[in-house]
Amino acid sequence: MLGVLYMDPFERPGKAVQSAQFTLQGSKALEGGRQQVPKTTLVYALPVGMPGLPMSFAVTFMHEIGHAVHSLLSATSFQHLSGTRGAVDFVEFPSHLFEHYVLDRSGLPVQVRQPLQDWGTHPHRAAA
């Protein structure tokens, strides 16, 4: 088992967190050559019942997925260096890379069944 991912994806009344990734248990080397299994959670406030996601939600979704993948694929000796527990530039690289899967028009057909309506007007696209 590579890791455990818990998800709380949808908005609901009283939910305070908009979007975040939380490491519950980092990877680390254990006695006998075993590895502690990382556990992480993703929390979003995705709209319920929409046929698709607005661009800003899609970008945020992939950003947080990048953090989760980073945490789940870490295989470190020390738990305090596992996943998103490191230098900011190193921690943010996977999440920003995953944003590009949404922002790159050539990657969209692989990900979506319906076109993103506001692709051309998203603030990230202005810089591209």
Side-chain angles (χ1 to χ4, degrees):
M1 175 186 320
L2 287 176
V4 177
L5 173 64
Y6 298 97
M7 290 189 70
D8 181 7
F10 300 110
E11 64 185 356
R12 63 179 178 278
K15 188 174 186 180
V17 175
Q18 293 300 309
S19 63
Q21 176 271 335
F22 301 102
T23 298
L24 304 173
Q25 175 175 289
S27 169
K28 72 175 181 178
L30 301 172
E31 290 182 24
R34 295 177 301 123
Q35 193 74 20
Q36 179 170 282
V37 175
K39 297 177 184 176
T40 192
T41 187
L42 289 173
V43 180
Y44 296 104
L46 299 176
V48 178
M50 286 184 72
L53 285 178
M55 177 60 84
S56 62
F57 283 87
V59 170
T60 300
F61 180 84
M62 291 303 285
H63 180 96
E64 300 304 335
I65 287 285
H67 286 310
V69 168
H70 188 183
S71 290
L72 294 173
L73 295 181
S74 289
T76 60
S77 297
F78 304 106
Q79 181 169 281
H80 63 278
L81 297 175
S82 170
T84 57
R85 297 172 177 169
V88 173
D89 287 346
F90 186 70
V91 167
E92 288 299 322
F93 178 79
S95 56
H96 286 269
L97 177 66
F98 272 59
E99 287 179 18
H100 287 281
Y101 287 110
V102 175
L103 298 172
D104 181 356
R105 188 181 288 274
S106 65
L108 287 177
V110 176
Q111 303 171 57
V112 297
R113 294 182 193 166
Q114 297 177 338
L116 295 169
Q117 299 300 321
D118 54 352
W119 187 87
T121 60
H122 191 272
H124 285 87
R125 295 303 311 154

